[in-house]
Amino acid sequence: MEFDLQWLLLGLPVAFALGWLASRFDLRQWKREQKESPKAYYQGLNLLLNEQHDKAIDAFIEAVQHDPDTSELHFALGNLFRRRGEYERAVRVHEHLLKRADLPASERERAQHALAQDFMKAGLFDRAQQAFEALEGTVFDTEARLALLALHERSREWRAAAEVAARLERSGSGSFATRIAHHWCELAAEADARQQRSEADEALQRAREAAPQSPRPLIMAGQRERARGEHRAALLHWGTLMAAHPAAFNLVAADYADSAKALGEAEAALERLEALYRRQPSSDLLAAIGRLDGDAARQRQRTLAHLQHNGSLSAAQALLASGDDEAKAVRDAVARAAKPLQRYRCAACAFEAQNYFWQCPGCLGWDTYPPLRQEDL
């Protein structure tokens, strides 16, 4: 069968025309997609700036559909989901990015960090820990370790927290000595609760080695000695505390007075407390002095002077307590008014508590409570 060249001559122009039409169609579609993608992206940004998060998410989803390979759109969308509390959707977005084989190493690390933040916000601490640990040696190494430190503290894994804090300090990320001392103090308290005295002694020694100038190890050491009846040793620890941290001494002023009385050294202790009170008056010191001085008239004069110079409602309450029954209504009113001012307040988040905390229950910050009650600040 002979091949007819006429068909070839006719077919070539037809094939060329079809190819040209197809290329024109693809070019127009590509231009349209390229035009629509940034338009949706900028529309999403505008909506986001106007606090219209629902519409912004819809716009970003539309932009991602037009250009599914653009990682920036995925990051923007994932961050929006996280801010809105839609953590499951944020996780899906960032996990999708991690599954892409063409994602550069820097973008992969960024996606891993975003995924770890998703888990952290969602309260999935085990998965968050694994995700942050996977960032070791990356540009997010320091941020990941700081997050791990917060995770260990939240979970009360104090030994692990101390190790992470020590690594951060060795890497030059700042000083974590006081924070490490708190970790060892927490371990000492837990060991004491289990009646493992030697383990508690070792933990407390580690705390003092980590931060020799920190007041908490001295306070705890004195309290442990006093609980065992070793009042002399307790006074030695608290004497060091009084010289190095006079403000923090308020936390144990009453215990100091009781231990001094137990040793028959009330007079000498009274002189020391009065000297400290003259430099830094406080209601806690005033109460401790009252424990040591058996003369009610002198203590009443001290309380009146404190009330006149410091305007303390606690002093007014103490003064009224020594009066007759006719003053009962006034005493009760002053007691109610004084109670809020007898609390400690976190300087970071303003969380108030009747008891002193080394770590704020509200913001989880360390040493954010001044060692003075509100009325003495």
Side-chain angles (χ1 to χ4, degrees):
M1 181 179 179
E2 295 183 0
F3 182 77
D4 193 346
L5 292 177
Q6 291 182 348
W7 289 106
L8 180 61
L9 295 175
L10 290 173
L12 283 175
V14 172
F16 177 78
L18 291 174
W20 180 82
L21 289 173
S23 66
R24 293 294 296 173
F25 177 78
D26 290 340
L27 184 62
R28 288 176 182 175
Q29 183 179 3
W30 179 81
K31 287 182 177 180
R32 185 170 62 253
E33 289 178 352
Q34 290 296 105
K35 184 177 180 180
E36 290 175 353
S37 179
K39 181 181 178 181
Y41 180 72
Y42 291 125
Q43 182 183 5
L45 287 178
N46 183 51
L47 292 168
L48 184 61
L49 291 172
N50 290 316
E51 300 294 330
Q52 296 177 298
H53 292 165
D54 290 332
K55 294 182 179 179
I57 285 177
D58 293 338
F60 279 123
I61 290 175
E62 180 184 351
V64 168
Q65 290 172 346
H66 286 307
D67 193 1
D69 294 330
T70 303
S71 59
E72 287 298 332
L73 295 178
H74 287 79
F75 283 122
L77 190 58
N79 290 338
L80 265 179
F81 284 141
R82 189 194 310 131
R83 286 182 59 186
R84 285 174 53 83
E86 299 181 48
Y87 304 120
E88 186 176 349
R89 299 178 74 180
V91 167
R92 286 205 302 268
V93 169
H94 294 130
E95 284 183 337
H96 170 73
L97 278 172
L98 286 172
K99 289 177 182 178
R100 282 176 48 181
D102 61 334
L103 199 67
S106 60
E107 295 295 287
R108 187 172 299 279
E109 293 169 2
R110 184 181 171 191
Q112 180 70 30
H113 184 246
L115 182 63
Q117 290 178 307
D118 296 338
F119 289 141
M120 186 78 166
K121 289 289 188 179
L124 303 174
F125 298 138
D126 291 341
R127 299 183 69 179
Q129 180 175 339
Q130 295 174 0
F132 280 123
E133 287 174 348
L135 290 167
E136 184 176 355
T138 69
V139 294
F140 296 99
D141 186 272
T142 299
E143 294 179 42
R145 288 183 183 177
L146 287 170
L148 284 171
L149 178 58
L151 271 173
H152 290 317
E153 290 178 348
R154 186 188 293 266
S155 304
R156 303 187 66 81
E157 298 172 351
W158 303 116
R159 196 173 297 273
E163 292 173 359
V164 173
R167 291 178 63 185
L168 280 165
E169 187 162 292
R170 288 195 298 270
S171 68
S173 301
S175 175
F176 291 83
T178 303
R179 203 160 173 176
I180 293 171
H182 281 302
H183 299 155
W184 286 110
C185 285
E186 293 288 346
L187 286 168
E190 290 178 356
D192 272 333
R194 298 192 301 268
Q195 297 184 347
Q196 295 176 338
R197 179 176 173 180
S198 60
E199 185 178 335
D201 289 340
E202 181 184 354
L204 198 57
Q205 181 61 31
R206 294 286 295 271
R208 298 188 68 175
E209 291 172 356
Q213 300 303 316
S214 177
R216 188 181 183 185
L218 289 170
I219 290 175
M220 285 189 66
Q223 289 171 334
R224 295 178 74 240
E225 296 291 355
R226 180 176 181 272
R228 292 196 290 264
E230 300 292 338
H231 297 289
R232 178 74 59 193
L235 289 183
L236 287 174
H237 289 300
W238 291 336
T240 304
L241 177 71
M242 184 190 298
H245 304 281
F249 180 80
N250 286 280
L251 301 173
V252 291
D255 292 337
Y256 180 90
D258 291 342
S259 290
K261 287 177 66 176
L263 291 172
E265 299 180 1
E267 187 175 347
L270 179 60
E271 291 180 3
R272 288 191 287 269
L273 291 186
E274 286 182 327
L276 180 60
Y277 177 83
R278 285 192 291 270
R279 297 197 304 270
Q280 295 186 2
S282 72
S283 55
D284 287 320
L285 277 178
L286 182 65
I289 289 171
R291 288 173 179 258
L292 293 170
D293 191 353
D295 191 319
R298 278 200 302 266
Q299 183 62 12
R300 182 178 177 83
Q301 289 300 318
R302 292 191 194 97
T303 305
L304 181 60
H306 186 85
L307 177 61
Q308 291 172 341
H309 291 92
N310 300 285
S312 169
L313 285 175
S314 294
Q317 182 183 358
L319 198 63
L320 287 170
S322 60
D324 52 27
D325 292 338
E326 294 180 359
K328 185 177 183 304
V330 180
R331 287 201 305 270
D332 292 344
V334 171
R336 286 193 297 271
K339 195 169 184 179
L341 296 176
Q342 292 168 348
R343 299 173 182 171
Y344 299 97
R345 175 183 287 178
C346 175
C349 70
F351 187 93
E352 294 183 3
Q354 194 67 34
N355 299 321
Y356 184 85
F357 288 99
W358 295 101
Q359 184 184 30
C360 175
C363 65
L364 302 181
W366 291 100
D367 294 319
T368 55
Y369 277 89
L372 296 173
R373 302 179 191 275
Q374 289 187 58
E375 62 180 352
D376 293 324
L377 291 175

